């Protein structure tokens, strides 16, 4: 079961249609096509940085003949991006002012959306009780980082 981080635009409260769901987990698309994955998620600056790094590694490999080593470094870089894909998207959106609305464990994006939007009036069926949002974001005491710890590295040391 994956965790979905719900990000809302600055100044909104409660469930909103503008919410974005970021899955915390491994991304196969980011492993195979890291540059296209970044472009698909509108991460322009990280994509430009990745392109520059890949170009430098490719140039170095062409000049020195270390093709195998360059391929291993590029694979390691792609693996890191695939493992940290949720964290990369979260950091980018939070830098633009998006706020953490909730953290929802769910099996799929559709299930996470159903759990999140079950608090809206008229969206939950009357026979089923609304599903709770598991964790509300807020300032956690004693942490330097005020967001959730996603991915491979725990930046805030708060888990």
């Amino acid at each position: 079961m994956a965790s979905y981080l719900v990000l809302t635009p600055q100044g909104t409260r409660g469930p909103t249609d503008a919410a974005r769901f970021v899955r915390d987990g491994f991304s196969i698309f980011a492993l195979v096509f890291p540059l296209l994955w970044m472009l698909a998620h509108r991460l322009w600056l990280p994509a430009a940085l990745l392109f520059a790094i890949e170009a430098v590694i490719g140039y170095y490999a062409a000049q020195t003949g270390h093709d195998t080593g360059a391929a291993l470094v590029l694979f390691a870089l792609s693996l890191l991006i695939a493992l940290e894909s949720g964290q990369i998207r979260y950091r980018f959106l939070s830098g633009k002012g998006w706020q953490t609305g909730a953290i929802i464990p769910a099996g799929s994006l559709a299930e996470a959306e159903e759990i999140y939007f079950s608090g809206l009036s008229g969206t939950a069926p009357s026979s089923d009780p609304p599903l709770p949002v598991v964790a509300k974001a807020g300032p956690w005491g004693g942490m330097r980082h005020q967001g959730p710890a996603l991915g491979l590295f725990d930046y805030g040391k708060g888990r």
Side-chain angles (χ1 to χ4, degrees), residues 80-154:
L80 182 64
I81 291 169
L83 289 170
E84 291 293 317
S85 59
Q87 180 73 359
I88 293 168
R89 288 185 63 204
Y90 167 73
R91 292 287 180 177
F92 181 76
L93 288 171
S94 66
K96 287 185 149 190
W98 288 70
Q99 300 171 341
T100 307
I103 301 171
I104 302 172
S108 67
L109 177 61
E111 185 180 338
E113 288 175 343
E114 181 180 340
I115 292 170
Y116 180 71
F117 291 117
S118 66
L120 291 176
S121 60
T123 59
S126 60
S127 62
D128 294 334
L131 299 172
V133 175
V134 174
K136 291 281 186 188
W140 296 296
M143 290 180 49
R144 287 172 288 176
H145 172 65
Q146 295 298 320
L150 293 176
L152 188 62
F153 302 109
D154 185 8

Side-chain angles (χ1 to χ4, degrees), residues 7-32:
L7 297 169
T8 57
Q10 192 170 19
T12 58
R13 298 206 183 270
T16 176
D17 289 338
R20 290 198 186 170
F21 292 80
V22 176
R23 182 179 179 271
D24 180 26
F26 185 80
S27 172
I28 299 229
F29 186 58
L31 176 67
V32 179

